[in-house]
Amino acid sequence: MSLKTYFANPAHSTVQEQLVETWFIRDYILHATRQSQTPLVAHSDIDLFGFDLILGLRDRDQLLRVQLKAFNGRTRMWDVHKVLLQQGGIVVIANPSFNGAEPTITYRCLTPEGRTRALGRTPRKAHTGKCMVKFGDVKVVEDLLHLFEV
């Protein structure tokens, strides 16, 4: 079975989410170390506060809470916790591709304008503490250290 076939199956969505998170952490560490930075990564073991990861750099006094979403080409909107966006957290949409000989991935992050638009939207599933991010609210990010500047 090809990777593309495997990950196209909704029954494997949890494995795809694990792959995307691991891939993102790997890429973050590589981006940081290539720029002589020491990366810090922490996981959120529960999905109660709206973020999956906490990123930092040893020489900066800034921590970044990240909600990581996998983009499979179909879903173009995601419900996220309002407090995450209100307190400076960021949403990263990871788009893995299994079309070539080797899998690839691209990342998109929520823009400041997208944050404002998202906070003004009601979520797909009714919830007073959540809002909706749409695909049009994000932009491609090549260097994951730029997430600290968004």
Side-chain angles (χ1 to χ4, degrees):
M1 174 185 304
S2 73
L3 287 174
K4 184 176 181 177
T5 303
Y6 182 87
F7 287 115
N9 183 339
H12 302 138
S13 63
T14 300
V15 176
Q16 183 177 6
E17 288 174 13
Q18 291 171 336
L19 174 65
V20 164
E21 182 176 295
T22 303
W23 210 336
F24 177 82
I25 292 169
R26 171 198 170 265
D27 288 346
Y28 174 71
I29 290 170
L30 289 174
H31 282 246
T33 57
R34 284 182 180 136
Q35 295 180 42
S36 300
Q37 298 285 325
T38 302
L40 307 171
V41 179
H43 295 267
S44 174
D45 292 330
I46 54 174
D47 191 20
L48 187 61
F49 305 108
F51 58 91
D52 301 311
L53 300 168
I54 300 173
L55 304 179
L57 298 167
R58 179 175 288 160
D59 298 330
R60 292 193 193 178
D61 289 334
Q62 182 182 11
L63 295 176
L64 185 62
R65 289 172 293 148
V66 177
Q67 173 71 58
L68 191 59
K69 300 287 188 181
F71 176 62
N72 58 13
R74 292 183 299 272
T75 303
R76 301 186 75 77
M77 56 189 83
W78 302 267
D79 291 348
V80 298
H81 288 261
K82 286 180 185 177
V83 71
L84 173 73
L85 300 184
Q86 291 167 335
Q87 295 180 358
I90 191 151
V91 176
V92 174
I93 309 298
N95 184 11
S97 173
F98 304 102
N99 291 325
E102 287 296 316
T104 60
I105 194 164
T106 55
Y107 302 105
R108 290 175 172 80
C109 69
L110 189 64
T111 65
E113 300 81 15
R115 176 186 310 273
T116 301
R117 287 190 300 266
L119 284 167
R121 286 192 204 105
T122 57
R124 292 185 303 164
K125 295 179 185 173
H127 190 291
T128 57
K130 291 190 176 184
C131 60
M132 184 196 311
V133 170
K134 290 188 175 182
F135 193 75
D137 297 331
V138 297
K139 68 175 182 177
V140 172
V141 61
E142 300 289 335
D143 181 342
L144 296 180
L145 295 190
H146 292 160
L147 296 176
F148 288 92
E149 300 162 6
V150 177

